[in-house]
Amino acid sequence: MAVSATRDRVVAHAIVDEMRDSFLDYSMSVIVQRALPDVRDGLKPVHRRILYAMYGLALRPERSHKKCATVVGEVLGKYHPHGDSAVYDALVRMVQDFSLRYPLVDGQGNFGSIDGDPAAAYRYTEARLAPIAMQLLDDIERRTVAWESNFDDRLEEPTVMPARLPGLLVNGSSGIAVGMSTNVPPHNLREVAAALRILVRKPQCTVADLMEALPGPDFPTGAFIVGGSGIRQMYEKGRGRMTVRARVAAESLRGGRTRLVVTEFPYTVSKSRIIHQIAALSRRGALPEIADLRDESDRDGIRLVLELKRAADAQRTMALLFRRTALQSTFGAILLALDGGRQPVEFNLKELLCRYRDHRLQVIRRRSRFELERAEHRLHIVLGLLAALARIDAVIAEIRASADRDQARRRLQDRFGLSELQADAILAMRLARLTALEGEELRREAAGLRETIADLRDLLGDEERQLATMMRELGEVVDEFGDERRTEILSSSSRGDFAYIESGAADEDVVVTLTHQGFAKRTPIHLHRRRSASGSDPAEMTRYPGDYLERVIVARNSGWLLCFTRGGQVHFARVESIPESTRAARGRSIRTMVDGRANDPIVAIRVVDHLREDRFLFFVTRLGLIKRTRLDQFSVPRARGVTGIRLRPGDGLLDAALISGDAEVVLVTRAGRAIRFREDGVPVVGPLAQGVRGISLGEGDWVKALVPAKRDRSVLIVDESGSGRRILLSDLILQKRGGLGRWIGGGRGDAPVVAALDAAEDDRIMLLSVGGSMTDLPVAGVRPGSPRGPSEPLVHLSDGDRIAAVTRLHGSYAPPSSTAQLELLIGGSEG
C-alpha cells in the first residue's frame, strides 16, 4: 500500500494502481512526445522543434551557417526539455544523406559517415535549413496549424508542420516506444506525388492502384529490394518484411581472375560492419575464395573490393556473403504513426495518403481564411480612406475642431459612420495621400481586394479547387526537388538467382566466336589481331568433327548475349562470362551459361552492348507470327530467363533479330514464298504478347528464315536439293505484312527451302548435308537472278542425300581441299 501526503491529509492508494497509472502516463508520454512521428508531417516532436527553432534563428538556406551548439541550446531552452545528446543526434541524422532520402538540414563539418563514424561535437559543426525543409515550414506564420504552449508556458510551438510534401513517406521514420515501434521506409518524392495524384482523382482506388505509381521504398543508399510480396504486405496491412541486397559488380581481371565490387549497401547497414564480418569469416576459413579485401571508397562514392582467387566461383561466393553477412538484410517495415498527434495507429498506404491529403486540405482552408480575413480587413480600411477622401474638407474640419486624437476619432466615427479602425487609419494618413493620384490608387486596390475576397470565398467553398491547389503546390515541390529512383526492385522470381550482380568488367572490345553446336569463347581484340596476323598453325588446333565456326562477333566485354529458345524464352549471359580461351580451344557451351530447359533448344543468339539500347527485338515464329518489342523491356535479366513471346499451341520461335526501328525484313517459307515489308508496320508490344501475322501460309507450310533486308545486299535462298538463287532486294516487291508474299520457287522438283540469308559479294557460305558432306563456296559465285528464274546447282549430292543447314563462314583463308582440313581449320580458327 502506498501512502501519499498532501498537506493536511493522507490518502491510501494501492501500489498496483499507482504502478499502472504511472506506467501508463509514462508510456503515453514516450509515445506522443518522443518516439513516434505524426502521420501528417512525418516528424517527431524533437525534429519539429529543431526545424522551428532554426526557422526562428533565421537559419534559412540563403543565410550563413551557425554553430550547432546554438541550435541545440535554442531547442533545449525553449522547446525540448531533454538531454542535449538527444537533440544533437536528431539534428545529425537530418543532415546525413545516407539516413534521409531528402536531408532537411544543410550541415558543414563532420556529421558522421556510412562507415558508422560518429559526428563531431556540436561546438565544431555548423548547420542551416536545407531548401526542402522550407517546404515543410511554408505558411506556418499564416495560422495554418494549431499551436500549443511550450514546457514552461512562456512560448508557443506548432503541433504539426504545414508540410507541402508528405514527409512520413518521403523520408520515413523509425522509433521504439513503450510496447510498440515504427519503421517507415523512405520513398521517392516523384512516385509518392504520383500515388497521391491517383488518390485525388480516384478516391475509391485500391492499394494495388496506388502501387502502379508507388512500386516500393526508395532508400537513400540505393541497392536492391528482392521480391514484391513484402512490399505489398506493408502497403496493404501496415507491416511487411523486405529483403534488401547490396549492389555488386563483377569485374574480370586478366588471367581468369575476378573481383567483386560493392558500390551500394542495404539501408542502415554500415560499411565498417560489412568489412568486419567479411574479415571474420575469412579468418575462420569460411570464405576460402577471397584473396584480398580493400576499401577504395572516396568522396566520389563507395567501392568495397573483394579480390577472388583464380578460378573462384563469383556466384557461389556472393551467395555465401549474402547468407553470412549484412550484404543481404531484412527490412521490417511497420507503418505506425500518431493519428492527429495523439493516437498511435498502424496505417496502410492508402490511409497514410488520405491522412496527408486531409491535413493539406485543412492547411489550405486555414491559410485561405487567414488571407480572407486580412483582405477583408484591408478592404475595410481602404473603403474608410476613400470615404474620407470624398469629403476631405469636412474630415479636416472635424479633426481641427478636436482637442486630442481620441476626440478626433470619436467625432469622425459619429459624423461619417466610420469604424474605429477606419477612423484611426484616416488619422494616420499622410498629407501626400490627399492627391488625386493616391485616390485612384486606393480605388484600384479596393477593386483588387474585392476580386481576391471573391476568389478566396469560392476556394473555401469548393473542395475540388482545394485539391487542385494541393496538387499544384506539391507539383512545384516535385519539380524542384524530385529525382530518379535509386533502389531497384527485383521481381520475386529473381530471389534465388544472381542476375542482379552487375558487371564492372574492363570495358574493352573482345571477339566472341560461336560454333554451330553452340560453343563460345572470348578473346581480347588486341590478342585476336596478333594471333590472326601470325597465321594458322594446324599443330595448335583440335579437331571437333561435325562442328564449325558459325559466327564471329565483336562485342564489349560488359555486353550481353541474348539467347532465344524455341519455346519463346530469352536467356541472358554476360559477354565476360564467356571463358577467355586458347587458340585451339573449342570454348564453353552456351547451354552451361544459361539456366534453361534442356528440351528447349536455342534458336538464336544476339549480342548487345547494354540492355537499354534504343533498338527493337523482332520475333518471328514458324507459323508466321511476328512482333516488335523494345529492347529495354528486357533490361532486368533473370538467371532462369524471361518470356520473349507468347506462343500458340504447336508453334515455336524461329528467329529473333535486333533491328533499329526503320528497317525492312524478308520472310521466306519452306514452300518457296517470300514477303518483304517495312518493320515499322509491325506494332510495338510487350514481351507477353503473341504478335501479328507476318505472312499467310498455305497448308503444311511454315516459315524457314527471317532476313533483315539491307539495301546493298541480296537474299541467298538454298533448297534441300542443293540448288540456290541470289535475289536482289529490289526485285522483291515491298508489301504490307500479312500477305501471301511472292512465289520464288524451289530447286529441282520444287524441293523445300532450307535456308535464306542476306549475302554480300565477299561472303562465303557453307552447305552441310544430312550425309555429312560440307561444301564451302563464295557468294560471288552465285549469279543474281530473277525471283521467278531457275535455281542453279550449288553442290552435287549423292542419291538420297539432302542439304540440312546453310551458314555464313567467317575468316580469311583459302577454301580447304578436304573435309578433314576444313574441320581442322574451323576447330582452331580465331576468326
Side-chain angles (χ1 to χ4, degrees):
M1 183 75 67
V3 178
S4 60
T6 307
R7 292 187 179 179
D8 57 348
R9 63 194 182 96
V10 177
V11 178
H13 195 57
I15 193 168
V16 174
D17 296 336
E18 180 67 28
M19 289 292 293
R20 182 185 64 247
D21 294 343
S22 298
F23 180 77
L24 287 176
D25 290 344
Y26 164 75
S27 62
M28 287 306 299
S29 174
V30 172
I31 290 169
V32 175
Q33 292 296 325
R34 300 180 68 175
L36 298 185
D38 194 299
V39 69
R40 296 169 291 179
D41 61 4
L43 299 175
K44 298 179 185 179
V46 64
H47 300 120
R48 192 177 301 116
R49 289 163 176 168
I50 289 171
L51 295 179
Y52 184 65
M54 295 179 72
Y55 182 79
L57 289 170
L59 293 179
R60 295 180 172 86
E62 66 274 10
R63 302 289 184 88
S64 60
H65 296 77
K66 279 191 177 180
K67 288 287 186 181
C68 289
T70 303
V71 178
V72 172
E74 182 80 359
V75 175
L76 290 177
K78 291 184 176 180
Y79 308 112
H80 199 68
H82 301 282
D84 59 343
S85 62
V87 176
Y88 187 53
D89 288 347
L91 174 63
V92 166
R93 190 173 186 275
M94 288 196 288
V95 176
Q96 295 171 340
D97 58 2
F98 52 88
S99 295
L100 266 64
R101 184 63 176 80
Y102 301 91
L104 300 177
V105 176
D106 176 20
Q108 189 167 271
N110 174 20
F111 283 89
S113 71
I114 198 172
D115 285 339
D117 300 324
Y122 53 62
R123 62 182 179 273
Y124 299 118
T125 58
E126 298 180 340
R128 65 183 177 187
L129 290 171
I132 196 170
M134 299 304 296
Q135 304 300 324
L136 291 174
L137 291 154
D138 188 54
D139 294 329
I140 197 171
E141 296 177 344
R142 297 186 180 185
R143 297 205 302 267
T144 52
V145 294
W147 295 69
E148 65 182 5
S149 298
N150 70 337
F151 62 88
D152 60 1
D153 293 330
R154 290 186 301 114
L155 303 167
E156 285 193 330
E157 60 177 315
T159 59
V160 68
M161 291 296 182
R164 289 182 68 181
L165 69 155
L168 183 59
L169 278 173
V170 166
N171 269 330
S173 184
S174 63
I176 300 175
V178 179
M180 61 185 69
S181 63
T182 184
N183 199 21
V184 183
H187 292 76
N188 184 274
L189 175 59
R190 288 180 180 173
E191 295 175 350
V192 173
L196 187 61
R197 190 172 294 109
I198 291 175
L199 177 66
V200 169
R201 291 176 179 173
K202 184 183 175 184
Q204 298 79 22
C205 66
T206 64
V207 170
D209 296 331
L210 297 173
M211 288 184 66
E212 293 181 4
L214 186 62
D218 187 23
F219 298 117
T221 54
F224 295 99
I225 297 176
V226 182
S229 60
I231 299 174
R232 193 177 305 106
Q233 289 177 3
M234 172 186 68
Y235 286 157
E236 291 178 348
K237 307 296 184 183
R239 289 174 179 259
R241 294 171 64 85
M242 292 165 281
T243 299
V244 185
R245 284 176 176 164
R247 186 179 294 270
V248 183
E251 296 185 355
S252 294
L253 304 174
R254 295 294 168 82
R257 298 185 63 179
T258 304
R259 66 184 174 200
L260 301 174
V261 180
V262 185
T263 55
E264 294 176 3
F265 290 98
Y267 185 50
T268 70
V269 174
S270 69
K271 177 154 57 68
S272 59
R273 176 187 173 192
I274 297 289
I275 293 173
H276 291 155
Q277 287 177 335
I278 296 175
L281 289 171
S282 296
R283 284 194 297 268
R284 295 200 301 267
L287 289 173
E289 295 183 326
I290 294 182
D292 189 19
L293 173 64
R294 297 192 307 276
D295 184 6
E296 298 180 357
S297 305
D298 56 20
R299 65 180 60 188
D300 296 325
I302 294 172
R303 184 177 171 85
L304 181 62
V305 179
L306 290 82
E307 297 274 2
L308 302 186
K309 296 177 181 178
R310 190 184 303 275
D313 189 335
Q315 293 186 355
R316 179 182 175 279
T317 302
M318 282 310 307
L320 186 59
L321 288 170
F322 285 149
R323 190 166 60 249
R324 303 287 297 274
T325 73
L327 286 175
Q328 175 174 295
S329 303
T330 299
F331 185 92
I334 305 174
L335 306 186
L336 181 71
L338 295 176
D339 191 7
R342 294 296 174 189
Q343 183 68 28
V345 176
E346 210 168 275
F347 297 95
N348 62 28
L349 176 61
K350 183 177 180 179
E351 291 168 344
L352 281 177
L353 291 173
C354 285
R355 295 299 192 280
Y356 174 75
R357 176 199 61 191
D358 297 342
H359 171 60
R360 279 304 294 174
L361 290 179
Q362 185 68 19
V363 167
I364 291 171
R365 290 168 188 153
R366 284 173 173 261
R367 183 182 65 194
S368 300
R369 293 191 192 101
F370 175 82
E371 293 175 346
L372 178 61
E373 291 174 4
R374 189 168 62 176
E376 289 175 340
H377 178 268
R378 178 59 185 168
L379 178 62
H380 180 67
I381 292 175
V382 170
L383 291 178
L385 295 177
L386 287 172
L389 287 177
R391 304 173 64 181
I392 190 61
D393 293 335
V395 168
I396 293 175
E398 290 292 337
I399 295 173
R400 293 187 65 185
S402 301
D404 53 28
R405 184 184 180 92
D406 289 339
Q407 186 182 19
R409 182 175 62 251
R410 289 194 299 271
R411 291 172 69 99
L412 290 175
Q413 288 180 253
D414 294 340
R415 180 168 179 182
F416 301 108
L418 301 174
S419 68
E420 184 176 345
L421 285 174
Q422 290 174 323
D424 282 336
I426 292 170
L427 291 173
M429 185 172 59
R430 295 178 301 171
L431 291 176
R433 304 205 67 176
L434 300 178
T435 63
L437 183 62
E438 284 293 328
E440 184 62 31
E441 182 67 27
L442 288 172
R443 281 187 284 273
R444 283 198 298 269
E445 183 181 358
L449 288 170
R450 288 190 180 96
E451 292 180 3
T452 299
I453 290 170
D455 182 67
L456 289 171
R457 286 174 176 169
D458 179 71
L459 176 61
L460 285 169
D462 187 350
E463 187 172 304
E464 291 296 325
R465 278 197 63 191
Q466 296 167 15
L467 289 170
T469 300
M470 177 187 73
M471 294 312 302
R472 175 179 55 79
E473 293 175 349
L474 181 57
E476 293 170 357
V477 177
V478 171
D479 291 342
E480 184 174 358
F481 301 102
D483 56 3
E484 297 298 325
R485 165 172 280 278
R486 299 179 188 176
T487 300
E488 187 174 341
I489 301 175
L490 302 177
S491 64
S492 57
S493 60
S494 299
R495 184 176 297 275
D497 64 44
F498 298 91
Y500 54 85
I501 298 182
E502 297 184 339
S503 172
D507 199 13
E508 62 180 358
D509 286 334
V510 294
V511 175
V512 177
T513 59
L514 297 170
T515 74
H516 177 67
Q517 294 181 354
F519 287 83
K521 61 181 176 181
R522 172 174 56 95
T523 308
I525 197 165
H526 63 279
L527 296 178
H528 175 82
R529 288 169 178 159
R530 189 189 314 158
R531 292 173 183 175
S532 298
S534 65
S536 299
D537 182 3
E540 297 178 1
M541 304 177 187
T542 307
R543 296 172 182 249
Y544 300 105
D547 201 4
Y548 56 89
L549 184 65
E550 191 170 72
R551 296 187 67 195
V552 175
I553 307 163
V554 176
R556 301 297 294 176
N557 211 13
S558 57
W560 291 88
L561 264 69
L562 305 183
C563 304
F564 302 86
T565 70
R566 184 163 295 164
Q569 292 293 107
V570 183
H571 295 278
F572 304 83
R574 281 284 193 184
V575 171
E576 62 162 354
S577 68
I578 302 172
E580 184 177 331
S581 303
T582 61
R583 182 177 188 81
R586 190 184 195 184
R588 181 181 174 189
S589 174
I590 289 291
R591 270 290 173 195
T592 65
M593 303 182 201
V594 296
D595 185 15
R597 292 179 295 177
N599 60 350
D600 192 10
I602 295 174
V603 296
I605 299 175
R606 301 290 177 255
V607 178
V608 294
D609 287 344
H610 54 84
L611 297 176
R612 293 191 177 273
E613 291 183 13
D614 189 18
R615 299 167 75 185
F616 297 87
L617 282 171
F618 190 95
F619 296 85
V620 59
T621 72
R622 296 176 74 252
L623 297 184
L625 293 181
I626 57 175
K627 78 166 190 173
R628 281 195 305 163
T629 302
R630 295 190 65 88
L631 179 60
D632 58 17
Q633 292 286 307
F634 303 93
S635 60
V636 181
R638 301 174 191 166
R640 296 187 179 180
V642 298
T643 299
I645 182 171
R646 188 158 54 91
L647 298 169
R648 297 177 180 177
D651 202 357
L653 182 65
L654 177 79
D655 200 356
L658 281 164
I659 48 180
S660 59
D662 57 356
E664 296 176 358
V665 294
V666 176
L667 300 182
V668 181
T669 75
R670 180 176 183 272
R673 304 197 70 87
I675 186 170
R676 170 188 165 212
F677 55 88
R678 288 189 58 81
E679 171 236 320
D680 54 16
V682 182
V684 179
V685 293
L688 298 180
Q690 283 188 336
V692 296
R693 185 165 300 282
I695 186 172
S696 297
L697 300 173
E699 186 176 354
D701 197 9
W702 62 81
V703 178
K704 287 294 293 186
L706 163 67
V707 183
K710 301 177 182 177
R711 300 182 188 281
D712 58 341
R713 299 175 79 131
S714 54
V715 179
L716 178 65
I717 299 169
V718 181
D719 59 36
E720 285 187 356
S721 68
S723 297
R725 68 182 69 190
R726 191 152 61 99
I727 302 171
L728 296 176
L729 181 64
S730 57
D731 289 337
L732 286 174
I733 300 173
L734 188 64
Q735 300 175 263
K736 291 186 177 179
R737 63 163 184 84
L740 290 170
R742 185 174 185 182
W743 187 79
I744 54 175
R748 296 190 295 270
D750 293 335
V753 171
V754 172
L757 60 158
D758 64 309
E761 288 286 336
D762 56 350
D763 280 345
R764 302 185 70 85
I765 61 171
M766 178 186 292
L767 288 76
L768 290 87
S769 75
V770 175
S773 66
M774 307 168 70
T775 304
D776 163 50
L777 57 87
V779 170
V782 184
R783 298 187 304 273
S786 168
R788 293 186 177 272
S791 298
E792 60 179 285
L794 303 180
V795 62
H796 295 285
L797 301 173
S798 59
D799 291 341
D801 201 4
R802 68 181 188 275
I803 298 298
V806 181
T807 188
R808 184 184 298 107
L809 285 174
H810 296 270
S812 54
Y813 50 83
S817 58
S818 67
T819 301
Q821 276 189 326
L822 179 64
E823 292 175 357
L824 182 65
L825 177 62
I826 293 173
S829 172
E830 293 289 346

